[in-house]
Amino acid sequence: MAVIEIQNLTYTYPATSHPALREVSLTVEAGEFVAIIGPNGAGKSTLCYTLAGFIPHFFKGELQGEVRVAGQDIRRVRLEDWVLKVGLVFQNPFNQISGAKFTVYEEIAFGLENIGVPREEMKRRVEEVMALTGIEDLADRSPYALSGGQQQRVALASILVMQPEVLVLDEPTSQLDPIGTREVFQVIRRLAHQGVTIIMAEHKVEWIAEYADRVIALAEGRVIGTGTPADVLTDPRLPDYGIGISRYTAVARRAAGEGLWPAERRLPVTLDEAEAGFRAVEEAHAHLH
Amino acid sequence: MRISIEDVHFVYPGGVEALRGVSLSIEPGERVAIVGQNGAGKTTLVKHLNGLLRPTRGRVRIGDWDTAQVEVHRLAQRVGYVFQNPDGQLFCRTVAEEVAFGPRNLGYTPEEISQRVAEALALAELEDKAEANPYDLSPSWRKMVALASVIAMDTPIVIFDEPTTGQDVRTIRRIERMIEMLSQRGKTILTITHDIDFCAENFERVVVMGQGRVLLDGPKEMVLGMEAILAQTYVEPPQLTRLGMRLGFEKTVCTSEQFLETLRRRLDHPQSDPRAEG
């Protein structure tokens, strides 16, 4: 079942002359984990804001085409209802913090309070997501007196606690250490298995390769590629568009240039694929000797 | 100018002990990356170099100055610091004014100021944006303005706090070119980063921090292969280092050049590695 259906979406922010998104069409199924890649300014955040209803309801501007999420036209929804269906984790976690609460625990409970969730359920859900995002020890800290990485986990928890059907994440691991990044990707992967639809804008292609079901590449507001991570992340045009590729892909491409990658094999996007390919090269050479 | 950090301890008001006896010595012109998990003490440590923090115990020296004895504005002549979030340090109406602000405050002559501004704008690839308002630029270019405004101060030591966070590959390449140019001019460069591949490709020496201490310090080829110790502070070896380890390379490789060189050598002499035989 398609949860997100976008047809010919063109969007222009107020007081700008160039569209931030141009003729974007895409479909996302329930429980899919879709990563959006693209250089800065490609329209990744704009697409996130649109799915979350901030466009057109908050940013205004001119929206053409069709955007349907969970069967509803994004133009017709009320933002206050929509935030319960679609959760958005901002790129800068600082923007996510309400400013109304003194502790991390209360901050995470804030959204549930606003919709009148019973106290016992609220406590259970808050404690569950704090465990899931690894921030139990921050419960009594001020949301403002945290490192960037800690704030990023709190921002994620404050959205997860709302149990949205669709989770939109704009570079949610930019301030996390590598293991913290892996933990967040694992949490997101698990949510997708539970049926939550995930859209994540992200630069870290080596993680996308490992965890996402599908990748959409944007450049200058247009979709320039869509498919499995293996297909999109080995597209030779990506560097020309200013999109990063994994070191595995890059080194194998150079190796292929000197005949050191198996001729019929697709370039690798993960560690496992790179290992398998280079082992095959070494074995072939060992037979020659 | 030599940086000397001698058994530094630091306790934040409230009692969190962020540094628990850190000693490091950094020679002029070195390129050093500091890595480690969130909360390891990386930012706390580098804030000691420009006097934003002073040790609770121990000593930090920048050349012949003890940072505990020197005012922050004087330390700014020796240590430039680029914050993680550029918006925390930009406030002028044009890029050129922003970049001129630092050298003006250091008391240079107008000629010296304009020369430094021109050089910094060139290094940051901002020449065509000199008259733009920093806030009309994209976040990536604002990052370059923040870098330029610190570089214009022409300090012998430059510190970057997470320069690649949230940046796309083109901006990261610009930052790499800038680091290379600064290095060629003899600057000491310190970078805090979670981007271990960026670290492997641009820095010779790597300091690994965990829980307020230095866990490892040495050439990247030594440090980045020590998977078990890196894991203690939530860091994984770089992608190509891991690939080399999987393939049984005897030497730790950090860059694609090193990887390909080792691969070619193994293919030419398969008998040199027992694991490639049979």
Side-chain angles (χ1 to χ4, degrees), chain A residues 39-40 171 174-175 177-179 182 206 240-242 247-248 254 258 271-272 275 279 282 289, chain B residues 37-38 84 140 165-166 168-170 194 197 201 234 236 239 243 246 256-257 259 264 266-268:
Chain A
N40 293 345
E171 295 184 42
S174 58
Q175 312 209 19
D177 53 47
I179 307 269
R182 183 178 292 284
E206 69 277 21
D240 301 333
Y241 283 113
R247 266 68 174 182
Y248 306 125
R254 285 184 59 178
E258 10 180 321
L271 175 58
D272 288 344
E275 181 191 357
R279 273 196 192 287
E282 293 203 330
H289 275 267
Chain B
Q37 73 190 104
N38 291 120
Q84 185 172 349
S140 318
T165 295
D168 61 10
V169 66
R170 281 185 184 141
H194 286 311
D197 297 294
E201 288 159 6
Y234 290 7
E236 294 180 343
Q239 293 173 39
L243 180 56
R246 285 268 191 103
S256 48
E257 285 74 24
F259 178 89
R264 284 184 214 111
R266 283 162 61 95
L267 294 175
D268 290 343

Side-chain angles (χ1 to χ4, degrees), chain A residues 38-41 44 91-92 141 147-150 153 171 174-180 182-183 203 206-207 210 239-248 250-251 254-255 258 260 271-272 274-276 278-279 281-283 285-286 289, chain B residues 36-39 84-85 138-140 162 165-171 173 176 194-198 201 231 233-236 238-240 242-243 246-249 255-257 259-260 262-264 266-271 273 275-276:
Chain A
N40 293 345
K44 302 190 299 297
Q91 186 169 11
N92 183 349
R141 299 268 295 274
S147 74
Q150 289 168 332
R153 287 168 187 257
E171 295 184 42
S174 58
Q175 312 209 19
L176 295 179
D177 53 47
I179 307 269
R182 183 178 292 284
E183 285 168 6
H203 287 302
E206 69 277 21
W207 297 97
E210 213 174 311
D240 301 333
Y241 283 113
I243 301 176
I245 57 175
S246 87
R247 266 68 174 182
Y248 306 125
V251 81
R254 285 184 59 178
E258 10 180 321
L260 301 180
L271 175 58
D272 288 344
E275 181 191 357
F278 284 113
R279 273 196 192 287
V281 170
E282 293 203 330
E283 274 157 31
H285 269 253
H289 275 267
Chain B
Q37 73 190 104
N38 291 120
Q84 185 172 349
N85 182 356
S138 69
S140 318
E162 296 282 7
T165 295
Q167 303 301 336
D168 61 10
V169 66
R170 281 185 184 141
T171 310
R173 293 291 164 271
E176 289 175 341
H194 286 311
D195 186 341
I196 200 73
D197 297 294
F198 169 76
E201 288 159 6
T233 187
Y234 290 7
V235 174
E236 294 180 343
Q239 293 173 39
L240 296 180
R242 276 188 281 161
L243 180 56
R246 285 268 191 103
L247 294 170
F249 288 9
T255 63
S256 48
E257 285 74 24
F259 178 89
L260 290 170
T262 307
L263 180 70
R264 284 184 214 111
R266 283 162 61 95
L267 294 175
D268 290 343
H269 310 283
Q271 66 283 3
D273 180 9
R275 295 176 65 167

Side-chain angles (χ1 to χ4, degrees), chain A residues 50-126:
Chain A
T50 309
L51 294 172
F54 285 41
I55 289 171
H57 297 286
F58 180 77
F59 286 108
K60 314 295 180 193
E62 196 195 336
L63 185 147
Q64 296 168 330
E66 289 295 311
V67 180
R68 300 181 77 82
V69 182
Q72 287 180 274
D73 182 338
I74 198 78
R75 271 181 276 237
R76 303 241 167 80
V77 302
R78 295 182 342 148
L79 201 51
E80 56 267 44
D81 302 328
W82 202 241
V83 293
L84 302 178
K85 255 185 165 9
V86 181
L88 171 64
V89 178
F90 285 94
Q91 186 169 11
N92 183 349
F94 197 76
N95 293 342
Q96 197 107 37
I97 291 168
S98 67
K101 295 294 175 182
F102 291 108
T103 70
V104 165
Y105 193 101
E106 291 171 3
E107 178 69 35
I108 295 169
F110 185 61
L112 297 179
E113 276 181 328
N114 282 329
I115 55 169
V117 170
R119 186 181 166 81
E120 282 314 306
E121 187 190 340
M122 199 186 320
K123 283 179 67 176
R124 184 178 55 76
R125 279 165 68 172
V126 169

